[in-house]
Amino acid sequence: MSPLVHPERGLLNIYTFEEQKAILENYFRALKIVFPGEWSKAKTIFFQTVGFGALFNVFDYVFKETLQRSKASFAVEDVVKIFKPIAHFEFASWNSYGSGSKAEIEAGNDLRVDLQRSLTAGADKARIRLA
C-alpha cells in the first residue's frame, strides 16, 4: 500500500490523508458489496497476503478507470460499477499461486484482465451501430 501513498510519487499523493483514507475505505466497501460471498468467508483471500497484494496491484487500474468513467468521483457506488461486471470472479484459484510478490502480481493480473475484458465489452455495447 505504501507505493500508493508515498508523499513524492504515490498515486494518491495529491490527496490529503483523510481523502486517501476515504479512497481506500471506498475501495474495500465496494469489494464487500460486489463480492459478498468472498468477503464473508472466515479466511477470505482478500486479507491473505496474495489477495491483499493482488487487490493493491490492480488498484491503480480501478482507481483511474473509476475516475474516468465517473467524472472524477470515487464514491462506493462508482467503484461498485467497475467491479459489478465481474461479480462472478473466482478468487479460489488464487490459493494455488503460493506466496510472494510473483503470486500477488499474477493474481492481480488475473483480476485486471477480467476487469479490462468486462469494461471493454461494456464500451463496445455503448457504441453506435450504423450498419
Side-chain angles (χ1 to χ4, degrees):
M1 187 181 328
S2 63
L4 295 174
V5 297
H6 189 280
E8 295 168 11
R9 32 180 208 281
L11 176 67
L12 303 179
N13 74 341
I14 63 170
Y15 303 101
T16 66
F17 175 76
E18 290 302 316
E19 290 170 326
Q20 290 175 2
K21 195 168 95 171
I23 288 166
L24 296 173
E25 285 174 356
N26 288 355
Y27 185 61
F28 281 96
R29 285 183 179 140
L31 290 168
K32 182 179 181 180
I33 291 168
V34 177
F35 307 108
E38 183 60 40
W39 187 272
S40 65
K41 290 181 180 176
K43 289 187 73 175
T44 177
I45 194 77
F46 294 157
F47 298 112
Q48 294 177 33
T49 304
V50 70
F52 197 75
L55 292 174
F56 278 103
N57 282 330
V58 77
F59 177 85
D60 63 332
Y61 176 76
V62 172
F63 186 69
K64 290 172 185 174
E65 284 294 320
T66 304
L67 292 181
Q68 180 182 0
R69 293 168 185 265
S70 302
K71 297 177 178 51
S73 175
F74 201 75
V76 174
E77 57 270 13
D78 300 317
V79 185
V80 166
K81 287 178 190 173
I82 296 297
F83 279 115
K84 197 70 164 175
I86 64 161
H88 65 278
F89 190 85
E90 281 296 323
F91 295 96
S93 66
W94 289 5
N95 289 316
S96 66
Y97 289 176
S99 60
S101 60
K102 183 179 177 189
E104 295 169 20
I105 291 168
E106 189 176 343
N109 285 340
D110 285 351
L111 188 59
R112 182 186 310 263
V113 165
D114 219 26
L115 277 167
Q116 288 171 328
R117 279 189 198 134
S118 71
L119 295 174
T120 302
D124 290 344
K125 292 177 186 174
R127 292 187 183 151
I128 188 168
R129 185 166 182 204
L130 300 172

